[in-house]
Amino acid sequence: MKQNLKKLAMAAATLALGTTLLFSAAVFAQGPIGGNISDATTRQGRGGGSGFVSAPLAEEEVEALTLALEDEYHAWAVYDQVFQDFGEVSPFVQIRQAEARHADALIRLFDKYGLEVPENDWAGTIPSFDSVEAACAGAVQAEVDNAGLYDAILAATDKRDLTNVFSNLQAASLNQHLPAFESCGAEP
């Protein structure tokens, strides 16, 4: 009896390990979730997703998701232009990285629902700012506008996964990015 339990435990452990390895291989084959910053912000449209499609989104939810991603793409491109013009200016470098993570979070939702990921048409299209101070002022307005956008798109859905991501991205804009940009123009 003890020998049978040992064999059963060994078989269960082998099955669990095999399942874990199979799942890990499937995730690895999809590539890194976060990718690198340029992947997240210059990614061309792709479809197919992960194969795990949830209940379809309503048209308003797809539009909300698309608007959110376009806004994150735009923010990344603006902050990248500041980086190109003035070098590694704080807080633009850090917030540019955050915007890439925000885009990744939204792209994962596109993948989850089997939606085509819109292309990032903003990369390389942003005009230069005259100064870092002007860039800071523009960034303040961009973060205020971003928070307002999330107010509007949060009203378009009651799906928990969408509202969690939208709420988290809005909170990042209001509680982290906005204060950083408000103080960056005042730095000597």
Side-chain angles (χ1 to χ4, degrees):
M1 172 99 164
K2 201 172 195 179
Q3 188 67 10
N4 286 342
L5 286 176
K6 233 180 189 180
K7 285 181 181 179
L8 184 58
M10 186 63 124
T14 302
L15 180 61
L17 178 60
T19 302
T20 301
L21 290 174
L22 183 62
F23 179 73
S24 297
V27 169
F28 181 75
Q30 292 176 9
I33 291 174
N36 63 39
I37 292 170
S38 63
D39 287 346
T41 55
T42 61
R43 181 173 288 149
Q44 299 296 308
R46 59 188 181 140
S50 65
F52 300 105
V53 178
S54 298
L57 296 179
E59 186 176 325
E60 296 82 20
E61 292 169 323
V62 173
E63 184 177 331
L65 189 56
T66 302
L67 287 171
L69 183 57
E70 288 294 327
D71 193 66
E72 299 298 342
Y73 280 161
H74 180 256
W76 184 91
V78 169
Y79 305 151
D80 186 63
Q81 186 60 51
V82 173
F83 176 80
Q84 299 302 319
D85 291 341
F86 303 108
E88 293 189 16
V89 179
S90 186
F92 289 96
V93 173
Q94 299 85 352
I95 296 177
R96 179 184 69 157
Q97 292 171 344
E99 298 298 351
R101 290 188 303 272
H102 296 181
D104 275 347
L106 294 165
I107 288 168
R108 285 191 298 273
L109 288 172
F110 275 88
D111 286 346
K112 176 180 180 179
Y113 288 98
L115 301 171
E116 183 78 19
V117 177
E119 293 181 16
N120 180 0
D121 294 328
W122 288 106
T125 66
I126 305 299
S128 297
F129 289 94
D130 292 334
S131 66
V132 173
E133 292 76 20
C136 290
V140 166
Q141 188 59 53
E143 294 297 339
V144 168
D145 293 346
N146 176 268
L149 171 69
Y150 280 113
D151 280 337
I153 63 176
L154 275 161
T157 187
D158 59 357
K159 286 194 185 301
R160 178 179 277 178
D161 55 352
L162 295 181
T163 58
N164 284 345
V165 171
F166 294 162
S167 295
N168 288 339
L169 298 182
Q170 182 183 47
S173 283
L174 289 173
N175 301 329
Q176 295 162 353
H177 302 183
L178 182 58
F181 286 131
E182 286 173 334
S183 66
C184 85
E187 291 178 5

